[in-house]
């Protein structure tokens, strides 16, 4: 009779999860077969008493929440208290996420300490068919991307944060939970550098899986294009390497394909032959915005041909920050930035200096401390045209100022230059799924900060409407680029679809090959998933 009851409970649970029952072995769409629980527990190395206790609890689990509780207890028995936190949860750990839009309290938090632990928790998730989310640094402001409520398990990768340099100094090995400031500082001791994030508090994993734009991307490619090898845990718990010679299709897919294929537990990145950079940061008045945008475009269409030059442009509501960077030490400002010479800054925030990447990251980190509150961002891509950009900026500023006056929300208007060399580096380094067109382009982005949830729709409407206008004008003038940079994309955008049907179909084939039961599509809480296309 208890077998019939157990089967009925499995049907009830599967129905509650809105997925059909599958074959007898545990697959996505059904909880694990009760009859093979002993085999499952033995594979995890559980003791006889733990197996009996968990079997009993599992036999009594009637709802998805109760099954999730058993899954958390199984993780605790297998991995221990050092890696699994159950109720009551540490709220500091729950709220690591940058944006309050992502705050959610999971049923339990698993912090794997090595790839074997990641393998264990994935086997548990797959067996019990419970929902999960993965958090590297938690910098995405998109709700549910790196957080989950009480219906699931949060995999926080913060303890997988090692940073080491190979003995021949040609590559560095990074854990997904490391922050980029930590990466730069540890490698700085060895006078080594990798291509990495501009915002130092961002986690390693999320940046690379989304592509990763850097100060030196036009010289060396996106961060993902500098990966030598990924160590990946697949949905069945197996641990594989993906590189140019081994599992090449997975290697290709992970370079911008998002969280669709497995959990990367180590990134090996090639080091670059650059240690010190020249930098100068100037602050301008917003009254000078059109002059600054014109000078920036002049550099984009001329000076940026020098791949060592880079400009970080951010226009806020009250100031304009322009950081000029050249990826080698210089005794005087390079001529490539001459379009800005005729514009008098209100302040020189960083005078002409030669500094290390670590020192640059520390400066950015001190200037832009992460503030609590609600955050969002958004992106789009176009060819370069000053008249179009200035028209969009005028529209954006009028809307952003009005919303600021009514809600207190702050917003920025930023442009990232993408030159033909960035695209070519991706091709030379084994390819990626982004399918970027040749020629120069720009990636527009915005960061939005506000306090009150009731203002969400109004505050976010500025970026939504600005993007719509940018794309409308670009299409009208033959300047449209359909690509959306994943790491700047908002919750309602679809960057994977922007890669084009050829890349999407190939990514889906790779997903089915390495995750045949589609665990990462069906059980992952949210994110830029192939199943949404």
């Amino acid at each position: 009779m208890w077998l019939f009851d157990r089967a009925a409970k499995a049907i009830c649970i599967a129905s509650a999860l809105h997925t059909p029952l599958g074959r007898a072995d545990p697959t996505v769409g059904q909880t694990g077969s009760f009859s093979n629980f002993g085999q499952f527990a033995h594979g995890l190395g559980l003791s006889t008493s733990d197996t009996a206790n968990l079997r009993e609890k599992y036999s009594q689990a009637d709802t998805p929440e109760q099954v999730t509780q058993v899954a958390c207890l199984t993780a605790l028995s297998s991995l221990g208290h050092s890696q699994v936190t159950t109720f009551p949860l540490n709220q500091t750990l729950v709220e690591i996420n940058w944006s309050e839009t992502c705050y959610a309290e999971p049923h339990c938090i698993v912090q794997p300490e090595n790839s074997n632990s990641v393998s264990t928790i994935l086997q548990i998730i797959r067996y019990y068919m419970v929902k999960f989310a993965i958090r590297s640094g938690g910098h995405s402001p998109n709700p549910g991307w790196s957080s989950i409520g009480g219906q699931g398990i949060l995999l926080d990768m913060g303890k997988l944060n090692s940073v080491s340099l190979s003995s021949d100094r040609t590559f560095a090995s990074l854990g997904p939970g490391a922050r980029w400031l930590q990466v730069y500082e540890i490698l700085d001791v060895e006078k080594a550098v990798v291509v990495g994030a501009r915002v130092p508090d961002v986690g390693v994993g999320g940046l690379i899986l989304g592509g990763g734009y850097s100060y030196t991307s036009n010289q060396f490619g996106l961060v993902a294009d500098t990966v030598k090898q990924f160590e990946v845990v697949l949905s069945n718990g197996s641990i594989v390497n993906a590189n140019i010679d081994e599992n090449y299709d997975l290697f290709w897919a992970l370079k911008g394909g998002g969280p669709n294929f497995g959990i990367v537990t180590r990134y090996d990145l090639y080091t670059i032959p650059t240690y010190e950079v020249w930098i100068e940061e100037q602050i301008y008045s917003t009254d000078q915005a059109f002059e600054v945008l014109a000078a920036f475009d002049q550099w984009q269409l001329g000076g940026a041909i020098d791949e060592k030059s880079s400009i970080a442009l951010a226009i806020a509501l009250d100031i304009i920050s322009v950081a000029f960077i050249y990826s080698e030490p210089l005794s005087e400002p390079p001529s490539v930035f001459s379009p800005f010479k005729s514009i008098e800054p209100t302040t020189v925030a960083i005078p002409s200096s030669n500094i290390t990447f670590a020192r640059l990251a520390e400066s950015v980190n001190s200037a832009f401390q992460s503030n609590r509150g609600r955050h969002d961002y958004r992106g789009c891509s176009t060819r370069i045209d000053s008249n179009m950009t200035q028209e969009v900026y005028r529209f954006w500023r009028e809307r952003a100022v009005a919303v600021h006056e009514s809600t207190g929300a702050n917003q920025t208007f930023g442009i990232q230059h993408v030159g033909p060399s960035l695209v070519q580096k991706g091709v030379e380094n084994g390819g990626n799924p982004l399918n970027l067109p040749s020629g120069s382009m720009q990636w527009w982005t915005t960061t939005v900060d506000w306090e009150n949830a009731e203002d969400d729709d109004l505050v976010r409407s500025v970026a939504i409407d600005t993007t719509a206008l940018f794309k409308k004008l670009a299409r009208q003038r033959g300047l449209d680029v359909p690509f959306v940079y994943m790491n700047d994309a908002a919750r309602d955008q679809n960057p994977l679809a922007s890669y084009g049907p050829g890349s999407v179909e190939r990514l889906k084939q790779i997903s089915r090959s390495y995750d045949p039961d589609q665990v990462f599509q069906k059980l992952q809480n949210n994110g830029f998933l192939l199943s949404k296309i």
Side-chain angles (χ1 to χ4, degrees):
M1 186 69 178
W2 62 271
L3 281 174
F4 175 83
D5 290 342
R6 179 60 200 156
K9 288 173 183 176
I11 294 172
C12 177
I13 292 168
S15 175
L17 289 172
H18 306 290
T19 49
L21 283 171
R23 54 186 184 272
D25 291 333
T27 61
V28 175
Q30 69 174 75
T31 50
S33 170
F34 187 67
S35 61
N36 69 6
F37 188 87
Q39 179 183 353
F40 161 69
H42 178 75
L44 296 179
L46 297 178
S47 67
T48 302
S49 60
D50 281 343
T51 299
N53 181 45
L54 291 167
R55 184 199 299 269
E56 176 66 19
K57 292 181 182 299
Y58 189 29
S59 69
Q60 297 172 1
D62 292 317
T63 67
E65 291 76 13
Q66 291 172 348
V67 172
T68 302
Q69 171 67 4
V70 178
C72 287
L73 292 174
T74 304
L76 182 62
S77 296
S78 181
L79 299 174
H81 288 281
S82 66
Q83 298 183 77
V84 181
T85 303
T86 56
F87 184 84
L89 298 176
N90 181 334
Q91 289 304 303
T92 301
L93 186 58
V94 169
E95 297 176 1
I96 283 177
N97 296 74
W98 174 50
S99 177
E100 290 179 6
T101 57
C102 299
Y103 287 1
E105 186 158 324
H107 205 96
C108 63
I109 301 175
V110 178
Q111 293 182 287
E113 295 175 349
N114 51 55
S115 56
N116 288 328
S117 295
V118 175
S119 172
T120 295
I121 189 58
L122 273 179
Q123 291 177 66
I124 292 170
I125 286 169
R126 184 173 182 268
Y127 182 84
Y128 290 110
M129 200 186 71
V130 295
K131 300 285 283 185
F132 69 98
I134 306 166
R135 183 173 67 192
S136 170
H139 195 263
S140 171
N142 295 323
W145 264 235
S146 57
S147 58
I148 190 169
Q151 79 277 17
I153 297 174
L154 174 64
L155 276 63
D156 178 272
M157 310 303 284
K159 290 186 176 181
L160 283 170
N161 63 354
S162 64
V163 179
S164 62
L165 185 65
S166 65
S167 58
D168 63 2
R169 301 178 56 85
T170 60
F171 68 92
S173 297
L174 316 179
R179 305 295 179 115
W180 284 100
L181 178 59
Q182 173 192 359
V183 172
Y184 294 134
E185 290 181 333
I186 291 175
L187 294 180
D188 186 67
V189 176
E190 303 289 341
K191 292 191 174 182
V193 177
V194 294
V195 179
R198 295 161 297 168
V199 179
D201 196 45
V202 170
V204 163
L207 180 88
I208 297 178
L209 293 180
Y213 184 88
S214 177
Y215 293 122
T216 58
S217 283
N218 284 295
Q219 185 177 7
F220 300 108
L222 296 172
V223 182
D225 292 324
T226 69
V227 173
K228 170 184 170 69
Q229 177 170 273
F230 300 92
E231 179 186 75
V232 192
V233 182
L234 304 179
S235 62
N236 64 3
S238 61
I239 303 171
V240 302
N241 292 322
N243 53 56
I244 198 74
D245 299 312
E246 184 180 4
N247 297 311
Y248 168 73
D249 49 353
L250 180 60
F251 176 66
W252 176 87
L254 289 169
K255 294 193 287 183
N260 288 289
F261 312 97
I263 299 178
V264 180
T265 49
R266 193 187 73 242
Y267 298 83
D268 295 339
L269 269 62
Y270 287 109
T271 54
I272 59 175
T274 300
Y275 179 61
E276 283 190 313
V277 298
W278 175 89
I279 182 173
E280 182 174 303
E281 183 185 5
Q282 297 182 349
I283 305 299
Y284 300 94
S285 164
T286 53
D287 293 337
Q288 300 169 291
F290 294 106
E291 294 176 81
V292 170
L293 287 171
F296 181 77
D297 284 347
Q298 191 176 342
W299 168 76
Q300 286 202 94
L301 296 171
I305 196 171
D306 185 338
E307 300 167 5
K308 295 181 180 181
S309 68
S310 176
I311 295 179
L313 168 67
I315 305 178
L317 297 181
D318 52 351
I319 64 169
I320 301 173
S321 169
V322 181
F324 307 97
I325 300 162
Y326 199 83
S327 61
E328 67 178 38
L330 299 171
S331 59
E332 59 184 27
S335 60
V336 292
F337 301 129
S338 60
F340 288 85
K341 277 189 175 181
S342 62
I343 311 174
E344 187 69 25
T346 59
T347 308
V348 177
I350 301 177
S352 177
S353 310
N354 293 319
I355 61 176
T356 66
F357 271 95
R359 180 71 185 90
L360 174 59
E362 289 165 0
S363 298
V364 174
N365 198 53
S366 62
F368 298 99
Q369 290 293 330
S370 294
N371 56 311
R372 296 178 70 86
R374 306 178 75 79
H375 308 288
D376 198 23
Y377 43 51
R378 196 172 192 86
C380 70
S381 304
T382 69
R383 297 297 185 182
I384 301 161
D385 181 86
S386 287
N387 291 332
M388 177 178 65
T389 301
Q390 291 180 25
E391 185 173 344
V392 172
Y393 169 75
R394 185 181 294 109
F395 172 87
W396 169 85
R397 180 167 176 81
E398 181 180 340
R399 295 289 309 281
V401 168
V403 168
H404 173 76
E405 290 173 350
S406 63
T407 67
N410 290 309
Q411 312 206 22
T412 61
F413 186 102
I415 299 176
Q416 302 156 116
H417 175 71
V418 177
S421 57
L422 182 153
V423 180
Q424 184 58 32
K425 290 296 180 183
V427 174
E428 294 173 0
N429 295 337
N432 62 52
L434 276 58
N435 193 28
L436 292 172
S438 59
S440 295
M441 70 191 91
Q442 59 185 17
W443 295 350
W444 176 81
T445 187
T446 184
T447 302
V448 189
D449 309 312
W450 73 104
E451 294 296 330
N452 300 316
E454 58 266 27
D455 295 329
D456 283 8
D457 291 343
L458 175 61
V459 171
R460 295 188 68 242
S461 71
V462 177
I464 293 171
D465 293 345
T466 300
T467 304
L469 177 62
F470 229 142
K471 300 303 285 183
K472 175 184 175 182
L473 295 177
R475 285 191 292 267
Q476 289 175 348
R477 303 176 189 186
L479 300 168
D480 187 40
V481 175
F483 176 77
V484 177
Y485 174 41
M486 182 180 290
N487 291 338
D488 286 339
R491 66 192 78 168
D492 56 299
Q493 294 186 290
N494 198 332
L496 288 170
S498 78
Y499 297 178
S503 279
V504 168
E505 182 53 36
R506 185 178 177 188
L507 287 169
K508 287 185 174 182
Q509 290 174 356
I510 294 168
S511 170
R512 290 190 292 267
S513 175
Y514 287 90
D515 182 17
D517 288 327
Q518 295 290 274
V519 168
F520 287 95
Q521 305 305 315
K522 297 179 179 179
L523 295 182
Q524 193 166 193
N525 186 44
N526 213 330
F528 293 121
L529 304 178
L530 289 165
S531 56
K532 293 183 178 182
I533 304 176

